[in-house]
């Protein structure tokens, strides 16, 4: 084994160690590898790119509700935790959709999903730009907002709450 090949192997091993240590920006100079290792280096880079995409998809699925594209309970928990850590004051509103079970039982889950999406659209349209809406359960939502949001926006929520 020649010195160039051995250095190429060391370069690949160092690259893999950086990736294993969480350095997602690790680079491998494939062009600098000996000809016999370039294919290995290229395959490692392709595999790393695929794994990065898969990781991003898994993270998205961990925090996003697939039906509504809103944050889910994990997303809400993470959002609130970040606000707590930063010491930012905020307000939360809890919203529970009435009669979703009845809608699902009588008209089917596809209609129930349309009902949920309709509610999401309505809620989103009433929100200020810095408010966030999360679907934390089947028929449960939470909204959070900073105190800088106009107080009038809370009255928009009350239009949809039976009195």
């Amino acid at each position: 084994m020649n010195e160039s090949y051995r250095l190429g192997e060391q370069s690949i091993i160092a690259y893999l160690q950086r990736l294993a240590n969480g350095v997602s920006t690790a680079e491998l100079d494939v062009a600098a590898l000996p000809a016999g290792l370039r294919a290995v280096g290229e395959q490692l880079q392709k595999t790393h790119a695929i794994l990065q995409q898969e990781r991003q998809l898994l993270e998205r699925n961990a925090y996003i509700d697939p039906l509504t594209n809103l944050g889910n309970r994990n997303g809400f928990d993470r959002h609130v935790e970040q606000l707590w850590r930063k010491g930012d004051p905020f307000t939360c509103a809890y919203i529970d959709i009435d009669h979703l079970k009845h809608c699902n039982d009588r008209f089917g889950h596809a209609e129930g999903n349309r009902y949920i999406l309709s509610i999401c659209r309505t809620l989103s349209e009433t929100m200020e730009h810095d408010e966030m809406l999360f679907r934390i359960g089947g028929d449960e939502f939470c909204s959070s907002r900073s105190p800088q949001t106009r107080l009038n926006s809370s009255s928009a929520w009350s239009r949809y709450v039976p009195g």
Side-chain angles (χ1 to χ4, degrees), residues 18-38:
R18 287 191 308 273
L19 290 177
N21 289 329
V23 181
S24 62
T25 58
E27 296 287 330
L28 177 63
D29 186 1
V30 175
L33 294 174
L37 291 176
R38 285 188 191 134

Side-chain angles (χ1 to χ4, degrees), residues 8 20 34 39 45 48 52 68 81 86 88 92 113-114 127 131 139 158-159:
Q45 285 183 325
H48 180 249
Q52 288 279 79
T68 62
E81 184 178 313
K86 290 190 322 190
D88 291 347
C92 286
N113 287 346
R114 282 191 284 280
M127 294 173 58
E131 288 180 285
D139 65 346
S158 64
R159 290 192 308 239

Side-chain angles (χ1 to χ4, degrees), residues 43-58:
Q43 187 59 49
L44 283 172
Q45 285 183 325
K46 288 178 186 174
T47 302
H48 180 249
I50 290 168
L51 290 173
Q52 288 279 79
Q53 290 174 341
E54 291 295 319
R55 185 189 62 72
Q56 289 171 349
L57 182 61
L58 287 171

Side-chain angles (χ1 to χ4, degrees), residues 118-134:
S118 173
I119 297 291
C120 286
R121 223 176 355 269
T122 302
L123 292 173
S124 296
E125 289 169 359
T126 66
M127 294 173 58
E128 297 290 326
H129 72 281
D130 64 339
E131 288 180 285
M132 295 187 67
L133 182 63
F134 300 85

